[in-house]
Amino acid sequence: MSGLLINTQQALQLLLSGDPKLWSIVIISFSVSLKAIVLTTPLALLVAFALNHGNFPGIRFIVAVFNSLLSVPTVVIGLFLYVLLSRQGPFGDLRLLFTQTAMVIGQMFLCFPILVALGYAAIQAADQRVWETARTLGAPSWFSMLTVFYEVRFGLLAAVLTGFGRIISEVGISMMVGGNIMGYTRNITTAIALETSKGEFAQGIALGLVLLTLAFLLTVFLSYIQGKKEFAA
Amino acid sequence: MNEPLLVFRGIEKSFAGSQILRNVDLLLYPGNCILLSGKNGAGKSTLLKIIAGLETPEQAEIEYSGESHSWKTVIRSIRKNIIYLHQQPFLFSGTVLSNVAYGLRFTSLNRKQRRESVIEALEWAGLTDVATQDAKTLSRGVQQRVAFTRAWILKPKVLLLDEPMANMDHESREQTSLLLRRMKSSGMSIVVTSHMQQYYDGLADQHFHFKRGRLVP
Ligand SMILES: Nc1ncnc2c1ncn2[C@@H]1O[C@H](COP(=O)(O)OP(=O)(O)OP(=O)(O)O)[C@@H](O)[C@H]1O
Ligand SMILES: [Mg+2]
C-alpha cells in the first residue's frame, strides 16, 4: 500500500515538474488522436447525413452495420491494418508500419463508425423542418446540410467527443501498428503497458492520471452538452 | 383574370401505396389568393410541398410562358420564386435578425444591400424592437411573423402558407391578416390552407376543397 502511495507521489512529481519524457508521450497521444478525429469527422458526418436524407436501398442495413462496428475490438483493427501495411502486405511499399501515420489511420478506422452511428442519431433527431426551411429559402443542398448540422451541433459535438475519448484511450491499434517507439510512436496507453511490465509504476500512474483527468473532463463536458441539447429541443 | 404565373397540372402523389393527390391542377395568378381546405390528412401540406419542390410527385406538369414542362425538369429553376411556410415555423438558432437575413446570402445582393433590405423588412413587420432577441424564445405569434418576414424579404412570386393562423389569438391573427393583405397587394400569388374559412374572408379570391384526392371548387 505504501508502495502505491510512494509511486503516486512520484507520479505527481513527474507531472508537475514537467518531465520532458513524460510530456512528449502525452503530446504524441494527443497529436495522433486529434489528427485522426479531425480527418474522420467531415467524411463521417457526410455519411451520417446521407444515411438520414438519402433515398437509396439498403440504408437501414448500412446503419445496422455501422452500429455493429461500434464494438469491434481494437486488436482486430490493429491486426487488419498490420497485415495491410506489413512488408509483404498490399500497402507494404508505403513503409507505414510503426509510424504515427499508421496509428492515425488505425484510429480513424476505430472512430469512423462511432461518428457515423452517433452522428446519424443526432441528425435524425433534427426536425425535418430545418432542411425544408433552408431549402425553401433558397439554400443550396450543401448549405442546407450545414444548417442542419448547426441545429444539432451539440449532438454532433457529443459524437466527436465520444469518438475522441475512445481513440485516445485505445491500446491495441497503437501497440500493433505504432510499435511503441520512444519519442515517436509511444503514446500514453502503450507507455503505461510498457512501464507496468517493467515494474516502473510511477510513470504509468502519472500517465494514467492524465488519461483519467481527460476522461473526467470529457464526461463533465458531455453531460453539459447533454443539458444544452435538451434545452435546445 | 390576366395570364397565370404558373400552372401545375396533373399532380399525382401517393404514400406507401395510398394515393393522396389525384390529377390535381392548380393555377397561380399574380396578386391572387387561393384558399385550400380539407380534412386532416387530405393532402394539403403535401400539395404545397410539391409546388415548393420539397416533395417529389409521381406525376406533374408545370406550365409557364406558354410552355409545358415536366415537374422534374423545371422545379429546380422555378423553386427560388416559391416559398413554403410551415404551419409551425421553424426558426433557426440565432437572433431574429439572422433568421430574417438567412435567405439573402443566396441572392445577388451585396452586403450593403442586404443590410438595408433586412432593416426595411424588420420595419415592415414591426420586428425592429426584437431584432437582436433569440428567435426561439419568442411567442408563437411573433415567431410566425419572423417566418413571414424571412420569406417576404426574398420577394418570392409565390407564397405557400400552411395553416398560418391556426392556434393564434385574435390579435396575432389580425396582424398576420394584415401582412398577408400587403403581400397580396404587392403582387404575390398566395396559397393558404385552412380549416377556418372565415379567417380568410376578403383575402381569398378562390376557394378549393379536397375531396378524395381531388380539388373541387
Ligand atoms: N413523408 C410521408 N410519408 C408517408 N406518409 C405521408 C408523408 N407525408 C404525408 N403523409 C401522409 O399523406 C397524407 C396527407 O398528408 P398531408 O400532411 O398532406 O395532409 P394535410 O391535408 O396537410 O393534413 P393536416 O390538415 O393534418 O395538416 C396523410 O395521410 C399523411 O399521413
Ligand atoms: Mg398539413
Side-chain angles (χ1 to χ4, degrees):
Chain A
M1 190 61 213
S2 68
L4 182 64
L5 268 181
I6 290 165
N7 281 322
T8 308
Q9 203 183 358
Q10 283 174 351
L12 288 174
Q13 269 167 10
L14 279 175
L15 282 172
L16 299 176
S17 66
D19 182 60
K21 225 173 100 192
L22 181 96
W23 284 103
S24 85
I25 291 171
V26 173
I27 287 167
I28 289 170
S29 251
F30 274 86
S31 135
V32 166
S33 295
L34 281 173
K35 275 181 201 152
I37 203 89
V38 166
L39 290 173
T40 312
T41 301
L43 181 65
L45 293 190
L46 273 178
V47 171
F49 187 83
L51 290 174
N52 262 293
H53 283 257
N55 189 14
F56 46 90
I59 284 191
R60 284 155 69 105
F61 176 74
I62 298 171
V63 172
V65 168
F66 275 111
N67 277 315
S68 63
L69 285 177
L70 288 181
S71 49
V72 167
T74 56
V75 284
V76 172
I77 298 176
L79 173 69
F80 163 76
L81 204 59
Y82 189 99
V83 170
L84 288 180
L85 298 180
S86 66
R87 280 288 166 85
Q88 299 85 352
F91 299 105
D93 293 343
L94 297 176
R95 300 282 164 91
L96 285 177
L97 197 59
F98 305 141
T99 62
Q100 286 192 7
T101 309
M103 293 162 77
V104 171
I105 295 171
Q107 294 193 354
M108 287 172 72
F109 275 108
L110 179 59
C111 68
F112 187 70
I114 299 175
L115 290 187
V116 172
L118 299 185
Y120 174 82
I123 294 167
Q124 197 172 35
D127 199 306
Q128 177 65 26
R129 291 174 302 164
V130 179
W131 170 259
E132 290 178 344
T133 305
R135 290 295 280 149
T136 201
L137 292 173
S141 316
W142 66 270
F143 196 95
S144 305
M145 181 180 76
L146 293 183
T147 303
V148 173
F149 286 170
Y150 186 69
E151 291 300 322
V152 296
R153 60 195 175 282
F154 296 116
L156 296 181
L157 186 57
V160 170
L161 291 179
T162 305
F164 184 72
R166 179 87 173 97
I167 58 177
I168 199 153
S169 60
E170 72 82 30
V171 201
I173 295 167
S174 298
M175 192 66 99
M176 291 175 80
V177 301
N180 201 12
I181 303 163
M182 180 58 208
Y184 183 43
T185 58
R186 182 167 303 167
N187 64 9
I188 297 177
T189 54
T190 60
I192 291 175
L194 181 80
E195 300 301 329
T196 308
S197 68
K198 287 198 309 195
E200 288 186 24
F201 298 120
Q203 204 182 43
I205 292 173
L207 292 167
L209 285 174
V210 173
L211 266 193
L212 279 177
T213 309
L214 177 71
F216 175 73
L217 290 178
L218 279 179
T219 309
V220 169
F221 195 47
L222 273 171
S223 59
Y224 167 76
I225 290 170
Q226 206 63 38
K228 281 274 193 191
K229 242 164 78 181
E230 267 145 37
F231 175 75
Chain B
M1 259 184 282
N2 41 2
E3 277 281 290
L5 195 63
L6 278 174
V7 181
F8 287 78
R9 283 207 196 280
I11 301 175
E12 306 264 338
K13 177 71 184 175
S14 35
F15 284 114
S18 82
Q19 193 158 11
I20 306 297
L21 304 175
R22 295 169 198 273
N23 198 17
V24 170
D25 293 348
L26 202 64
L27 284 74
L28 304 175
Y29 293 92
N32 179 57
C33 177
I34 298 173
L35 172 66
L36 297 176
S37 59
K39 291 202 296 267
N40 289 123
K44 303 182 294 294
S45 302
T46 305
L47 176 60
L48 295 192
K49 286 183 185 181
I50 288 172
I51 294 172
L54 297 171
E55 280 284 0
T56 314
E58 276 95 55
Q59 185 68 48
E61 299 288 317
I62 302 177
E63 291 169 18
Y64 60 89
S65 41
E67 280 185 69
S68 179
H69 314 263
S70 79
W71 181 92
K72 244 186 146 78
T73 54
V74 293
I75 192 70
R76 275 181 89 89
S77 57
I78 63 167
R79 63 181 294 170
K80 60 176 179 291
N81 296 310
I82 305 175
I83 295 183
Y84 170 78
L85 277 93
H86 290 95
Q87 176 167 357
Q88 290 175 22
F90 186 94
L91 298 188
F92 301 122
S93 319
T95 59
V96 168
L97 195 114
S98 70
N99 267 278
V100 169
Y102 183 88
L104 288 179
R105 72 187 96 207
F106 316 114
T107 64
S108 55
L109 299 184
N110 65 31
R111 195 174 271 268
K112 184 161 167 281
Q113 292 167 319
R114 280 191 252 162
R115 250 230 324 244
E116 282 163 3
S117 150
V118 169
I119 292 168
E120 182 202 12
L122 290 170
E123 269 168 19
W124 174 82
L127 289 170
T128 312
D129 292 344
V130 295
T132 56
Q133 279 189 34
D134 180 354
K136 291 202 200 261
T137 61
L138 299 168
S139 74
R140 270 189 49 104
V142 180
Q143 289 205 2
Q144 185 72 265
R145 259 193 293 154
V146 175
F148 270 48
T149 315
R150 185 169 68 174
W152 178 82
I153 199 171
L154 299 171
K155 306 287 182 320
K157 296 202 169 80
V158 181
L159 203 59
L160 310 168
L161 303 144
D162 217 342
E163 287 278 7
M165 303 198 213
N167 319 314
M168 267 190 189
D169 63 23
H170 183 73
E171 199 192 322
S172 299
R173 250 195 334 263
E174 291 287 299
Q175 283 174 336
T176 306
S177 190
L178 181 71
L179 293 186
L180 282 176
R181 254 169 251 274
R182 284 203 237 156
M183 288 175 172
K184 193 179 128 173
S185 59
S186 74
M188 284 184 193
S189 173
I190 297 176
V191 185
V192 291
T193 72
S194 182
H195 299 286
M196 305 299 240
Q197 205 183 325
Q198 65 272 26
Y199 294 166
Y200 300 90
D201 287 342
L203 184 71
D205 305 294
Q206 289 167 285
H207 177 194
F208 297 105
H209 188 76
F210 268 98
K211 224 170 190 173
R212 280 185 236 96
R214 293 176 197 281
L215 273 188
V216 294

